[in-house]
Amino acid sequence: MRSTTTSLILSINFVAFMFSVSRVAVAHTMSTVRIEPLLQDLHHYGRQKPSHRRPQSNHPLKLSSSFTAFPKKLVVSNSRSFCYFQPPTPRRGPTLGVRAASTDTTTVETSESTDPIYKKTFPLKRTEVVEGKIFVKLDHGKNEKKWVLTVGCNLPGKWVLHWGVSFVDDVSCEWEQPPSEMRPAGSVPIKDYAIETPLKESLSSVGGDTSYEVKIDVKPNSAIAAINFVLKDEETGAWYQHRGSDFRVPLVAYPQDDDNVVGATKGFGMWPGVLGKLSNVFVKAESSNSKDQDSSGSESRHPQQKTTCVEGFYEELPIAKEISVNNSVTVSVSKCPETAKNLLYLETDLPDNAVVHWGVCRDDTKTWEIPAAPHPPETVVFKDKALRTRLQQKEGGNGCWGLFTLEEGLAGFLFLLKLNESTWLRCVGNDFYIPLSSSKNANVVQSEIQSKDAQVPDGSTEAVEESTAYADGLINEMRNLVSDVFSDKSPRTRSKKAQEAILQEIEKLAAEAYSIFRTTVPTLPEETIAETEEVKVAPAKICSGTGTGFEILCQGFNWESSKSGRWYMELKSKAALLSSLGFTVIWFPPPTESVSPEGYMPRDLYNLNSRYGNMDELKETVKVFHDVGIKVLGDAVLNHRCAHYRNQNGVWNIFGGRLNWDDRAVVADDPHFQGRGNKSSGDSFHAAPNIDHSQDFVRKDIREWLCWLRNDIGYDGWRLDFVRGFWGGYVRDYVDASEPYFAVGEYWDSLSYTYGEMDRNQDAHRQRIVDWINATNGTCGAFDVTTKGILHAALERCEYWRLSDEKGKPPGVLGWWPSRAVTFIENHDTGSTQGHWRFPKGKEMQGYAYILTHPGTPTVFYDHIFSHYQSEIAALISLRNRNKLNCRSLVKITKAERDVYAAIIDEKVAIKIGPGHYEPASGPQNWNKSLEGGDYKVWEASLVFSAPVCV
């Protein structure tokens, strides 16, 4: 071990360094979080990261994750950088000194100038809401025979008008493309139903301000009944709609039940314009009598009939958009020559309502405490754990400042910046730390960090309980890899490249562990498994959250499978075929006796005679799958259980069979079943008694049952049903006891929608799934419901830009924690005969092309395997296996636009889905097209070799 190369030692030191530098201390209500350099100490900390959510908004209109209605005008302060940080009132010669005047105030006096012993400027990145307006105007053009429809916005952005028309004789709501003479220059057709036209910058005739607008020529008395549109900002991918529907500008006056009409017509009163209060409406009606107006049928909609036409109108609505604002804060520390105290001067260009939430620490643990007086003016104590000081406004109003006198003997000054109850600014997700010991200032780690400060919209910090979570799987993997590096035979049998591959894995795992502690939003870095073709590296110990990392999962049933009565035997006959297709794991249906035939209302857990077959058939089928190299997952329903008997009140909450629990096993807060247990640790499933997993006897019985299924039946792992119903920490207990090869939980949750349209930002949704995985300490993966939902919206609406988040990563769980994301596009609930959330019809292969080339553990639904998709799915599985794509593969998204998504995975595979065009660019490798289907293509890389030069 002592003879290990320098690179090995440096890499192991890197792991220790990553842990040691990531000690974090958070004052007030947040718990102290530390990461000790020894792996075993990591077990002593919190279980679950907080779920940060934006405060609920009362605004009536939300455009997307980047837009919201805003009722008042906001003033946006310009970003400024300060290179020289001097007091607001400069003095010649002396600098500011401090002496105590009382316990509550600080008096500033002058002293001889001293050089700062520390000075650092931190960039601050945040978002701010600015207000603008969208306007729609219809008036005469230069040609009296034509009208001009103007749509515009006065907020900066890359605006595009997505629009189409409706004809008079068309009673449906479908769009159609407008005639060619109506299309402005630069318009692009979108399939056969719409046009996209970019808005151009101009000096608006409305108010004289700079705006972005597009003009559309409209012929009166044409067959066009209305112009329909939505506005899109391509910089953010946000669509501007009204209540989830399209804007509609009527050109003839026949009544329709439509709240989204823009403009006004005579005979119907004021249309409820979507863009707010009417500023100016001009209405002119052609001569017609009331009988003409009241006539019904197609005749009243024919263009030759006399109609009431809009002469002209103008409407607008204030909107708001989030923009990025760059600020900075500079901190300098100097010594007072008279008192030897530390003088800390803080200056920032933030608005003058900024508050510093601060404290001090006495050692490297960075544990917050309140320093001795004096304190600056406008300082209050927060919960006996920290101080809050409102910064003083600079002369001229450009920013604010604060001066702090700190006693000797302190190790550091800790602070956060607060703008309001929902906006806190941190340093790389941690507290700002300013070293006060002069011996440490020369090599302060904080000055080396490139700040990535961000707004944390987590509501009031007082309401946040900071806790942490760490995955035991990471610890085990690192231990195994380190042991592998330093084994006796490693230096002799492994090449340098192989050793570097192991070290790279250790570093990536350490980075992931550090990231979980470091940031308040778990954007977990991708994990990498470095592969070499020349040397086979011994795999690390299998982790239940990932298996080997190369698993491909088959769901081995659908909603109708129980009806045959011999499903196990039918599966047994397909084992060899599924193995030949490349599957490594199969998910079996619930095995227990159940009130419902599908198995999801279990009663006697030890009775394995179900509608799928009997226990002997189950054992035999499991053995056959093992013989062909496929692991078997059991569907374990642990959240609820149906009772055998009623209690004295006639409520079904007394259980029979081998696990003859009484009503103490039922949670107390479900009124349907009158349990005498504790309150539920999750959401209730109201169709059956919810089991109280906090009871010791319940957990003991479940652990024993799972071990029995593993040892006697032969199951290799678990698919856990409805895990929203109980805390993930109990799952960890069950996984630790049963030691599965692979485990995945069904954490099903609703995505975020606004007026029926899916929001672009689904971070809150995947945050909840990641929180549950964290609660299991990473011992269990979770189905990536976020990715399924986003794929739905992207493919249904031709909005492939949704497949990249704001950081250019996949927008689902696989973009944050790929090794724990189990991806899928359909299952027995969403598809089959239930069809609760069916994948867009005809686009299934685009979905499989995505999940079978991307990181995560992909799952293929039984109905799709045994369909006309089988050969395409098999080809994708074969491509994934021969390129060694795995749950930690790296994704580089190269294109995410309206009609096309493209990415390169591990520099080995390129993929595009969508009707748009994409070809991977050649570089160090050539790209050879391997697969092609309906709106998808996949390429594989081959190295480029230069031809020898003959001299």
Side-chain angles (χ1 to χ4, degrees):
M1 189 166 77
R2 293 171 180 252
S3 63
T4 310
T5 63
T6 302
S7 62
L8 298 180
I9 297 172
L10 290 175
S11 294
I12 299 302
N13 286 339
F14 165 79
V15 175
F17 170 75
M18 291 294 286
F19 288 119
S20 63
V21 301
S22 56
R23 299 179 180 182
V24 181
V26 182
H28 47 83
T29 55
M30 294 187 278
S31 304
T32 301
V33 183
R34 302 171 186 163
I35 303 179
E36 302 295 341
L38 298 178
L39 290 174
Q40 59 266 29
D41 291 340
L42 292 170
H43 293 283
H44 300 299
Y45 296 94
R47 294 178 177 269
Q48 187 173 6
K49 292 185 70 61
S51 176
H52 297 291
R53 292 184 284 271
R54 289 184 181 272
Q56 294 294 322
S57 172
N58 296 322
H59 301 326
L61 177 65
K62 184 177 180 182
L63 309 180
S64 77
S65 60
S66 299
F67 286 88
T68 183
F70 203 80
K72 296 181 180 180
K73 188 71 174 179
L74 296 179
V75 179
V76 184
S77 60
N78 295 326
S79 300
R80 297 177 181 271
S81 299
F82 296 87
C83 299
Y84 301 96
F85 294 83
Q86 298 184 7
T89 306
R91 300 173 183 266
R92 294 181 178 271
T95 59
L96 291 179
V98 180
R99 61 178 173 84
S102 70
T103 58
D104 299 321
T105 62
T106 300
T107 302
V108 178
E109 63 181 14
T110 63
S111 64
E112 293 182 4
S113 176
T114 59
D115 293 330
I117 58 175
Y118 174 92
K119 189 171 185 179
K120 174 66 178 176
T121 299
F122 301 91
L124 302 173
K125 296 180 181 179
R126 60 189 179 92
T127 58
E128 195 168 78
V129 180
V130 294
E131 188 189 45
K133 60 186 177 183
I134 288 180
F135 55 86
V136 180
K137 181 175 67 170
L138 182 66
D139 60 2
H140 280 295
K142 297 179 180 178
N143 187 340
E144 290 294 330
K145 296 181 180 180
K146 291 184 178 181
W147 294 79
V148 176
L149 176 68
T150 304
V151 180
C153 179
N154 70 342
L155 286 178
K158 191 177 180 181
W159 296 99
V160 172
L161 189 74
H162 183 89
W163 64 289
V165 300
S166 300
F167 289 96
V168 173
D169 55 355
D170 184 6
V171 295
S172 71
C173 298
E174 297 296 326
W175 289 20
E176 295 189 40
Q177 288 187 345
S180 57
E181 61 270 16
M182 286 185 65
R183 306 177 188 181
S187 297
V188 177
I190 305 301
K191 293 190 175 180
D192 58 351
Y193 63 86
I195 295 292
E196 284 194 350
T197 306
L199 276 63
K200 297 181 179 179
E201 184 175 355
S202 67
L203 188 64
S204 174
S205 58
V206 181
D209 298 326
T210 299
S211 66
Y212 300 81
E213 60 183 43
V214 62
K215 296 180 182 293
I216 300 173
D217 291 336
V218 179
K219 287 185 178 180
N221 300 322
S222 69
I224 296 176
I227 296 176
N228 311 291
F229 70 89
V230 293
L231 199 60
K232 175 185 177 184
D233 183 1
E234 289 200 330
E235 288 182 350
T236 62
W239 293 78
Y240 182 85
Q241 293 179 301
H242 182 247
R243 298 178 183 175
S245 299
D246 313 323
F247 290 115
R248 185 176 181 85
V249 179
L251 302 179
V252 295
Y254 57 88
Q256 293 188 9
D257 295 330
D258 195 341
D259 292 335
N260 300 301
V261 174
V262 184
T265 57
K266 188 174 181 178
F268 309 110
M270 281 299 187
W271 288 87
V274 306
L275 295 181
K277 185 178 179 181
L278 227 59
S279 298
N280 185 20
V281 179
F282 302 94
V283 180
K284 179 179 180 180
E286 296 183 4
S287 58
S288 60
N289 53 44
S290 60
K291 293 182 180 180
D292 294 331
Q293 293 179 1
D294 294 336
S295 61
S296 61
S298 60
E299 292 181 355
S300 66
R301 300 180 181 179
H302 196 278
Q304 300 303 321
Q305 294 288 332
K306 292 183 178 180
T307 57
T308 304
C309 298
V310 177
E311 175 71 15
F313 66 85
Y314 166 66
E315 297 186 9
E316 66 178 40
L317 175 72
I319 64 167
K321 175 182 176 181
E322 288 185 351
I323 63 170
S324 297
V325 180
N326 293 319
N327 296 106
S328 64
V329 58
T330 292
V331 181
S332 60
V333 180
S334 60
K335 286 284 186 181
C336 176
E338 297 178 358
T339 64
K341 291 186 176 182
N342 292 305
L343 304 179
L344 186 143
Y345 180 65
L346 183 150
E347 184 175 27
T348 178
D349 56 346
L350 289 170
D352 60 1
N353 61 343
V355 171
V356 179
H357 183 96
W358 63 284
V360 296
C361 61
R362 298 187 179 276
D363 53 40
D364 289 339
T365 61
K366 301 185 177 70
T367 303
W368 284 56
E369 63 178 71
I370 296 177
H375 302 146
E378 296 191 62
T379 296
V380 296
V381 177
F382 177 76
K383 295 187 177 181
D384 297 325
K385 294 183 179 181
L387 297 172
R388 287 185 174 176
T389 300
R390 181 173 296 277
L391 296 177
Q392 305 297 309
Q393 184 176 7
K394 292 183 186 179
E395 291 185 0
N398 294 323
C400 47
W401 63 280
L403 187 62
F404 305 82
T405 303
L406 305 170
E407 61 188 289
E408 288 187 283
L410 299 175
F413 178 85
L414 302 157
F415 74 95
L416 295 83
L417 291 165
K418 176 184 177 184
L419 292 185
N420 51 54
E421 292 303 321
S422 62
T423 306
W424 292 76
L425 300 177
R426 293 176 166 89
C427 178
V428 199
N430 295 331
D431 310 330
F432 289 96
Y433 173 70
I434 307 301
L436 298 177
S437 173
S438 59
S439 61
K440 296 181 180 180
N441 283 321
N443 297 303
V444 61
V445 173
Q446 200 67 34
S447 65
E448 301 292 335
I449 296 176
Q450 295 180 350
S451 291
K452 299 178 182 177
D453 310 284
Q455 174 185 359
V456 182
D458 54 358
S460 173
T461 300
E462 293 89 331
V464 176
E465 275 189 35
E466 183 83 338
S467 59
T468 65
Y470 187 74
D472 277 349
L474 291 179
I475 300 174
N476 292 334
E477 287 180 62
M478 274 188 280
R479 281 175 174 158
N480 293 325
L481 288 167
V482 171
S483 299
D484 199 41
V485 169
F486 292 115
S487 63
D488 292 337
K489 59 184 179 180
S490 292
R492 299 172 185 170
T493 60
R494 288 195 179 87
S495 69
K496 182 179 180 181
K497 179 181 285 189
Q499 293 171 356
E500 290 174 351
I502 299 176
L503 292 172
Q504 184 181 12
E505 174 70 352
I506 294 172
E507 293 177 1
K508 291 296 181 181
L509 293 171
E512 179 178 345
Y514 174 47
S515 177
I516 296 174
F517 286 91
R518 183 192 66 181
T519 177
T520 56
V521 179
T523 305
L524 304 178
E526 299 90 343
E527 305 153 273
T528 301
I529 294 180
E531 299 295 326
T532 83
E533 297 181 359
E534 300 174 358
V535 180
K536 292 184 178 180
V537 180
K541 181 181 176 181
I542 292 170
C543 169
S544 58
T546 63
T548 63
F550 294 85
E551 312 309 330
I552 301 176
L553 176 60
C554 161
Q555 180 176 1
F557 63 99
N558 60 29
W559 193 248
E560 302 298 315
S561 297
S562 62
K563 292 183 177 179
S564 71
R566 54 186 310 275
W567 186 249
Y568 294 142
M569 294 296 98
E570 293 184 33
L571 271 184
K572 173 185 169 184
S573 67
K574 295 177 171 63
L577 172 61
L578 292 172
S579 177
S580 68
L581 293 176
F583 290 103
T584 62
V585 181
I586 186 169
W587 158 21
F588 273 27
T592 57
E593 176 213 6
S594 170
V595 172
S596 64
E598 297 82 16
Y600 289 100
M601 300 282 282
R603 190 162 61 171
D604 185 352
L605 298 185
Y606 278 93
N607 183 351
L608 301 189
N609 297 317
S610 70
R611 300 291 181 90
Y612 299 101
N614 59 41
M615 186 167 72
D616 291 336
E617 292 171 339
L618 173 58
K619 285 184 176 181
E620 184 181 347
T621 305
V622 169
K623 182 180 183 304
V624 168
F625 274 95
H626 286 168
D627 290 342
V628 297
I630 296 180
K631 304 290 186 181
V632 179
L633 302 185
D635 201 327
V637 183
L638 304 181
N639 174 74
H640 51 272
R641 181 185 172 195
C642 293
H644 291 71
Y645 313 106
R646 300 184 185 186
N647 67 1
Q648 64 272 19
N649 298 324
V651 177
W652 293 88
N653 61 13
I654 306 299
F655 304 92
R658 183 168 167 179
L659 303 181
N660 54 347
W661 302 331
D662 59 18
D663 52 5
R664 292 174 301 155
V666 180
V667 298
D669 50 350
D670 186 348
H672 298 89
F673 297 102
Q674 298 181 8
R676 291 192 298 119
N678 297 312
K679 288 186 177 181
S680 175
S681 59
D683 296 336
S684 291
F685 179 80
H686 295 297
N690 287 249
I691 300 305
D692 179 11
H693 292 264
S694 69
Q695 302 285 0
D696 291 340
F697 71 90
V698 169
R699 292 200 309 280
K700 175 179 176 294
D701 286 346
I702 291 178
R703 288 194 299 265
E704 290 178 354
W705 178 65
L706 292 172
C707 290
W708 175 73
L709 290 176
R710 287 276 280 129
N711 299 327
D712 284 31
I713 309 302
Y715 282 120
D716 301 288
W718 317 119
R719 180 266 184 185
L720 302 175
D721 182 67
F722 198 74
V723 295
R724 280 179 56 191
F726 54 103
W727 177 49
Y730 300 133
V731 172
R732 179 192 176 187
D733 184 20
Y734 302 143
V735 168
D736 287 347
S738 59
E739 297 182 342
Y741 171 87
F742 187 82
V744 56
E746 180 209 29
Y747 192 96
W748 197 274
D749 197 5
S750 296
L751 280 78
S752 302
Y753 293 84
T754 301
Y755 300 125
E757 182 181 359
M758 181 183 290
D759 294 342
R760 180 183 187 184
N761 189 323
Q762 296 294 334
D763 286 354
H765 184 267
R766 57 176 169 174
Q767 171 77 69
R768 292 190 289 274
I769 298 175
V770 166
D771 285 346
W772 181 83
I773 301 172
N774 278 339
T776 74
N777 267 14
T779 59
C780 191
F783 286 110
D784 193 348
V785 181
T786 315
T787 290
K788 173 177 168 63
I790 293 172
L791 279 170
H792 272 249
L795 274 59
E796 274 181 330
R797 301 170 61 94
C798 197
E799 296 174 347
Y800 290 84
W801 48 264
R802 290 182 179 272
L803 295 174
S804 176
D805 68 10
E806 294 176 353
K807 295 184 178 180
K809 296 183 178 182
V813 177
L814 68 87
W816 275 359
W817 205 343
S819 68
R820 302 308 191 270
V822 179
T823 54
F824 72 109
I825 70 167
E826 205 80 287
N827 64 25
H828 60 289
D829 288 320
T830 65
S832 191
T833 54
Q834 291 202 96
H836 291 323
W837 194 24
R838 200 178 301 279
F839 202 75
K841 187 176 181 180
K843 301 182 185 295
E844 290 87 352
M845 285 312 304
Q846 288 189 60
Y848 281 123
Y850 182 89
I851 68 171
L852 285 168
T853 58
H854 279 60
T857 300
T859 306
V860 183
F861 183 42
Y862 181 89
D863 290 4
H864 294 157
I865 298 169
F866 295 97
S867 72
H868 61 284
Y869 295 134
Q870 186 179 107
S871 61
E872 291 183 84
I873 291 172
L876 284 166
I877 293 175
S878 176
L879 180 142
R880 182 180 182 91
N881 287 333
R882 67 174 170 266
N883 287 281
K884 295 185 172 61
L885 303 185
N886 56 81
C887 71
R888 295 184 179 93
S889 289
L890 295 181
V891 177
K892 184 172 96 175
I893 297 175
T894 55
K895 200 170 189 180
E897 297 179 356
R898 177 188 52 78
D899 60 351
V900 64
Y901 165 87
I904 295 175
I905 299 89
D906 282 350
E907 300 296 331
K908 300 175 183 177
V909 172
I911 177 182
K912 84 95 181 175
I913 59 174
H917 175 74
Y918 172 78
E919 294 285 338
S922 295
Q925 66 273 77
N926 283 329
W927 293 101
N928 304 311
K929 186 172 68 176
S930 298
L931 301 173
E932 182 173 5
D935 285 340
Y936 77 90
K937 289 183 183 179
V938 186
W939 297 262
E940 292 179 87
S942 60
L943 294 176
V944 177
F945 296 97
S946 300
V949 179
C950 297
V951 180

